[in-house]
């Protein structure tokens, strides 16, 4: 049985985390599946609850930049972006501090750690009251669409986690931007809630994985190209119209004749579309299957602003699915 907690129950959620239990909680991006990042049993339980097939590294969440920077080696660049974008939808990958309390499994044994200070007031209150670093991937079964409501969390994780803290729908709707600051050039590992242009304005040119000389320590973009965020129905990208048996994920006015339609943003606003993306994919998937449709056609979304993150998630939703038993590397 998974407890459903309301904002008034924050201290109870914090106590559960401190005793090694798993608690899903809202952030401004998506719901996280939280556990004590210092506790190997709690971290292993996160991988198990998600059914994550391999130990890809998790993000550790903190109430403040000061708390985050106790666990990593933060340079001037890290301090500058943190001052500008934290609390907020940005994750920094930095060298692990030699005396870090974070369990090795949280970082999948890497020499770097991913840290983030979320902006959601309930996440902040939870982290503050727990007083511990909280490891949290998105609160969905591995490879599935990320959750932006407590109901989405329970769809996949009911009975597998101690509690879910219900804070209503997430405002941003796509995960945090993951920025690697372990090397001389900052590298964008995952487009997300903070647009690349905003980071470049502060840091200068941002590299892509594999295009710059990488610091020692291996795995830079775990699971980047694998199928992910995948509804059961296949997804077709940059569709100008839906075919007869397809549902339509619309961005702007839908073409005439479309049947089952979910509108991401009638006014073609990428911020609004990001906030509605995962709920839309889930809804089209469920309704589409109920109606016997065979796929989801996604209208084109421009690269600008949060469009880059939306396109990234749609590309992965449309990627070839690993076959059962093939050892997928779906990362979250
Ligand atoms: O918005 C978010 O970031 C959400 C909320 C809950 O905070 N969390 C989230 O976590 O999306 P997850 O586990 O689904 O994605 C974490 C990403 C993965 O792509 C992982 O490979 C990468 O961050 N990552 C984590 N630690 C890393 C490291 N040390 N080096 C490189 N990539 C890392
Ligand atoms: Mg995820």
């Amino acid at each position: 049985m998974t407890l459903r907690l309301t904002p008034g129950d924050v201290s109870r959620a914090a106590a559960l985390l401190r005793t090694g239990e798993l608690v899903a909680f809202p952030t401004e991006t998506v719901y996280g599946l939280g556990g004590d990042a210092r506790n190997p049993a709690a971290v292993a339980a996160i991988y198990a609850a998600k059914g994550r097939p391999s130990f890809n590294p998790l993000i550790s969440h903190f109430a403040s930049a000061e708390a985050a920077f106790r666990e990593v080696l933060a340079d001037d660049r890290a301090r500058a972006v943190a001052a500008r974008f934290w609390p907020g939808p940005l994750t920094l990958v930095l060298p692990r501090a030699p005396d870090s309390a974070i369990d090795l499994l949280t970082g999948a044994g890497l020499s770097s750690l991913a840290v983030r200070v979320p902006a959601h007031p309930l996440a902040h209150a939870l982290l503050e009251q727990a007083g511990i670093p909280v490891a949290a991937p998105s609160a969905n079964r591995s490879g599935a669409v990320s959750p932006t409501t407590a109901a989405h969390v329970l769809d996949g994780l009911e009975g597998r986690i101690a509690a879910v803290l219900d804070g209503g729908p997430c405002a941003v709707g796509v995960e945090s931007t993951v920025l690697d600051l372990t090397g001389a050039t900052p590298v964008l590992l995952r487009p997300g809630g903070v647009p690349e242009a905003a980071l470049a304005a502060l840091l200068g040119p941002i590299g892509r994985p594999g295009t710059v000389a990488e610091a020692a320590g291996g795995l830079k973009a775990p699971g980047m190209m694998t199928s992910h965020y995948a509804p059961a129905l296949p997804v077709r990208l940059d569709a100008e119209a839906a075919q007869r048996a397809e549902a339509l994920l619309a961005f702007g006015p839908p073409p005439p004749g479309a049947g089952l339609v979910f509108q991401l943003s009638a006014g073609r606003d990428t911020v609004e579309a990001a906030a509605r993306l995962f709920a839309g994919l889930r809804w089209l998937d469920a309704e589409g299957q109920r109606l016997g449709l065979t796929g989801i056609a996604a209208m084109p979304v421009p690269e600008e602003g949060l469009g880059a993150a939306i396109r990234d998630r749609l590309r992965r939703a449309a990627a070839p699915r690993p076959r059962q038993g093939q050892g997928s590397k779906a990362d979250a």
Side-chain angles (χ1 to χ4, degrees), residues 272-329:
E272 181 186 27
R276 293 169 56 77
L277 176 65
F278 291 140
L281 280 173
R282 281 173 183 265
W283 185 80
L284 288 178
D285 198 28
E287 282 298 294
Q289 288 182 76
R290 199 176 60 77
L291 297 170
L293 301 183
T294 56
I296 297 172
M299 286 176 68
V301 175
E303 276 286 334
E304 300 95 68
L306 292 194
I310 296 170
R311 292 189 64 83
D312 170 78
R313 304 307 186 270
L314 287 174
R315 259 195 306 275
R316 296 207 238 175
R321 316 281 168 89
R323 269 178 281 138
Q324 285 284 305
Q326 242 188 0
S328 120
K329 282 199 279 169

Side-chain angles (χ1 to χ4, degrees), residues 68-74 92 94-97 100 112-115:
F69 288 161
R70 279 200 284 270
E71 310 297 339
V72 290
L73 304 178
L92 298 179
L94 290 162
R96 182 188 174 92
S100 170
S112 58
L113 278 178
V115 293

